[in-house]
Amino acid sequence: MNLRLLIDKLRLSLLKRTGKAQKGGRCYAAWAAKGHIKEPLVSFVVQSHDKSLQVCSFLPQLRAFPNSEIIVIDDGSILEHTQRLAAALTGANEFLVRANDLYENITYDKCLRFCNGRYVALLQDDDKIPGTEWAERAVSLFEQHPDMVILGGCDGRRVRFCMKEQGEKSYTSEEMSHGDFCFVMSVNRAPMWINRELYHQHLHHIDYRFAPFQSDDYELCMRAWTLGLKVGWYKLHFESLSVGGMRLYNNAFTKEMTKRNSLLLYDLYADKEEEIMKRVEEANKEMNI
């Protein structure tokens, strides 16, 4: 056995025998006073890539929304950021998930199973959070549209699959959102809201084939339409505190993943493009949008 481990084992055994291992003030009343919420209305899940200062700056705005929890995903690449986030997330409904540079696809997927909110807001480290009205509006839209599994507040996109001159499979996307709310083919993160119950019943996961990142948000939206669910967009567009850590540190990597995952998205959905668009148009028609 490792010598340090052996010494620690003996120390703990001694503490147990002497009764000195007990920590003062620990009882049910003290635990209950922390105010942990078992079933929050909203879970805010924030992806942080070495941008802890920015995340800490908007934590007060997230805390202002009642009946919610906050989960921050730290990419774990620089200890300074992990320590700052750990020190800032002090509430009973605030959690820090440290991952070893696994990126958005895997970490968002895992946290969608970890969180307990009825509705989940997937956020980024450069978002400038404008109070609570944006979240109240999202909850209201989900209540109005019980078959809507995803709601985006960034870009609402129409994806068009195409072949490049060299015969390479790819896609382009164009803005299709309008008004204050409409149904769209797909949305970009962030924010991307999720109806967690519908997600677990029908979508189950973010497709790991797109890991570590890029185009998996489009795939999730198109998969939702093929399963008879809806994807909405509402007018929000967060201002940016600064360039997001994900894009700041991964320009070359992003180009590589864009090329790789464009081909994958094409193979999965090129033959479903028109049918998905038909469902989008019918959904908007039903709502006179």
Side-chain angles (χ1 to χ4, degrees):
M1 180 181 291
N2 179 286
L3 180 59
R4 291 181 65 183
L5 183 60
L6 177 60
I7 292 171
D8 194 56
K9 179 181 178 181
L10 294 172
R11 180 183 67 85
L12 294 174
S13 178
L14 182 62
L15 285 174
K16 181 179 179 181
R17 288 177 180 275
T18 61
K20 293 182 179 181
Q22 301 298 316
K23 293 186 177 181
R26 294 200 167 184
C27 61
Y28 179 80
W31 176 86
K34 293 178 181 292
H36 176 253
I37 303 170
K38 291 191 295 183
E39 297 180 346
L41 179 63
V42 168
S43 294
F44 297 109
V45 179
V46 184
Q47 192 86 224
S48 179
H49 298 270
D50 299 335
K51 298 289 288 296
S52 58
L53 284 173
Q54 286 79 359
V55 172
C56 290
S57 75
F58 60 70
L59 285 178
Q61 283 74 25
L62 299 183
R63 289 174 177 140
F65 188 90
N67 196 16
S68 64
E69 65 181 4
I70 300 170
I71 300 163
V72 178
I73 306 165
D74 171 41
D75 74 344
S77 59
I78 299 178
L79 183 58
E80 171 192 347
H81 295 284
T82 305
Q83 292 172 332
R84 182 177 292 116
L85 291 168
L89 295 165
T90 57
N93 304 294
E94 299 176 3
F95 306 90
L96 178 62
V97 175
R98 185 183 180 278
N100 294 313
D101 267 342
L102 292 176
Y103 297 94
E104 299 174 352
N105 178 294
I106 292 171
T107 54
Y108 273 142
D109 180 80
K110 286 191 174 295
C111 283
L112 278 165
R113 290 191 291 276
F114 175 73
C115 65
N116 288 334
R118 187 182 308 171
Y119 307 112
V120 182
L122 303 181
L123 303 170
Q124 300 281 344
D125 54 19
D126 64 322
D127 292 331
K128 184 176 181 180
I129 308 297
T132 62
E133 185 178 349
W134 66 281
E136 294 162 2
R137 170 74 169 144
V139 170
S140 175
L141 287 168
F142 275 118
E143 291 172 346
Q144 293 172 47
H145 305 284
D147 57 350
M148 182 173 68
V149 64
I150 297 170
L151 175 67
C154 187
D155 296 327
R157 312 297 294 182
R158 199 288 196 209
V159 174
R160 295 185 184 275
F161 293 98
C162 59
M163 297 282 283
K164 294 185 177 180
E165 290 182 3
Q166 300 83 0
E168 184 181 355
K169 298 174 181 178
S170 187
Y171 70 85
T172 61
S173 69
E174 60 191 43
E175 185 72 38
M176 70 170 296
S177 52
H178 58 276
D180 292 324
F181 169 79
C182 65
F183 295 110
V184 294
M185 188 178 191
S186 60
V187 293
N188 280 331
R189 292 189 296 256
M192 174 187 274
W193 286 88
I194 305 285
N195 178 320
R196 196 169 63 91
E197 182 177 1
L198 289 181
Y199 174 88
H200 287 307
Q201 285 179 351
H202 302 280
L203 296 174
H204 308 299
H205 63 95
I206 297 174
D207 195 330
Y208 276 5
R209 286 174 292 181
F210 288 82
F213 63 92
Q214 202 67 16
S215 301
D216 55 280
D217 45 3
Y218 283 180
E219 189 284 327
L220 192 66
C221 292
M222 285 188 269
R223 181 162 26 117
W225 283 110
T226 65
L227 295 172
L229 300 170
K230 293 175 180 173
V231 176
W233 168 90
Y234 74 128
K235 191 174 183 179
L236 179 59
H237 284 287
F238 284 158
E239 292 181 33
S240 180
L241 289 166
S242 62
V243 63
M246 174 65 191
R247 297 291 173 253
L248 180 63
Y249 302 115
N250 295 288
N251 281 337
F253 196 3
T254 297
K255 291 178 182 178
E256 177 187 359
M257 292 308 304
T258 297
K259 182 176 181 180
R260 176 187 180 278
N261 287 350
S262 291
L263 173 61
L264 178 55
L265 194 69
Y266 185 104
D267 287 342
L268 290 173
Y269 291 101
D271 62 343
K272 301 176 180 65
E273 176 186 347
E274 295 307 319
E275 178 59 29
I276 291 172
M277 272 307 301
K278 182 180 177 182
R279 294 186 181 191
V280 175
E281 291 164 357
E282 288 175 350
N284 281 323
K285 198 172 188 180
E286 288 174 5
M287 297 298 300
N288 294 317
I289 298 174

